[in-house]
Amino acid sequence: MEEKQIELLVLLEIEGLEDKTRFEKHLKKEGFIVVEGESFAYTGKSTTTLFSTKAFILEVFKVALQKQEFKGKANLIFLLNEMPYPAYYYDLTTKEFELVQEEK
C-alpha cells in the first residue's frame, strides 16, 4: 500500500530576524527545503494527517524563531496539497503562532 503524501508550501513574511542562516538550519533539520530564488518560502512533504501536519508546521516555525529570541514580526501562511489555510501571526506575548482573526 502506497503512503499518501501531503505537499507543503510555507510562506513567511518576517521583520527583525537576526540570523536567517540559523533559522533555516533548524527548518532543514526538520525536513523543510528552501525554495530557491524566494525569500522565506519553504516546501516539504508529510505522510501524517492534515491536522498533524498543520500542528507540525506551526511548532517547527515557532521553535526556529525561539532559537534566536525573536522580537520582530512574523506572519505565516501555508498550503497543504495546494489548499490554502488561514494566516497566522507570531504573538510575542504568548510566543506562539495565533490564527489571524478576520475582521467582520
Side-chain angles (χ1 to χ4, degrees):
M1 188 168 111
E2 187 178 318
E3 270 188 292
K4 290 207 178 230
Q5 287 197 331
I6 300 169
E7 298 283 333
L8 317 177
L9 175 61
V10 182
L11 305 171
L12 197 63
E13 180 181 283
I14 193 163
E15 296 173 13
L17 184 67
E18 291 180 20
D19 189 343
K20 184 178 182 184
T21 302
R22 185 174 178 195
F23 177 77
E24 290 184 340
K25 183 178 180 184
H26 177 74
L27 299 180
K28 287 177 187 174
K29 185 180 104 188
E30 295 293 344
F32 287 91
I33 300 163
V34 175
V35 176
E36 292 299 321
E38 297 290 331
S39 291
F40 299 106
Y42 309 94
T43 62
K45 293 185 186 330
S46 173
T47 56
T48 64
T49 65
L50 290 173
F51 182 80
S52 295
T53 300
K54 179 182 100 170
F56 175 73
I57 291 168
L58 295 173
E59 181 66 20
V60 167
F61 279 80
K62 174 185 83 171
V63 170
L65 291 175
Q66 290 175 349
K67 282 183 173 270
Q68 50 192 297
E69 298 177 26
F70 181 69
K71 304 227 185 318
K73 288 183 180 179
N75 297 307
L76 177 96
I77 58 169
F78 53 90
L79 287 77
L80 303 181
N81 284 341
E82 299 182 12
M83 188 170 95
Y85 277 70
Y88 289 82
Y89 70 95
Y90 187 74
D91 186 314
L92 292 171
T93 307
T94 63
K95 301 212 179 309
E96 298 279 344
F97 276 101
E98 304 287 345
L99 188 62
V100 172
Q101 299 297 321
E102 293 189 23
E103 293 179 23
K104 294 182 180 178

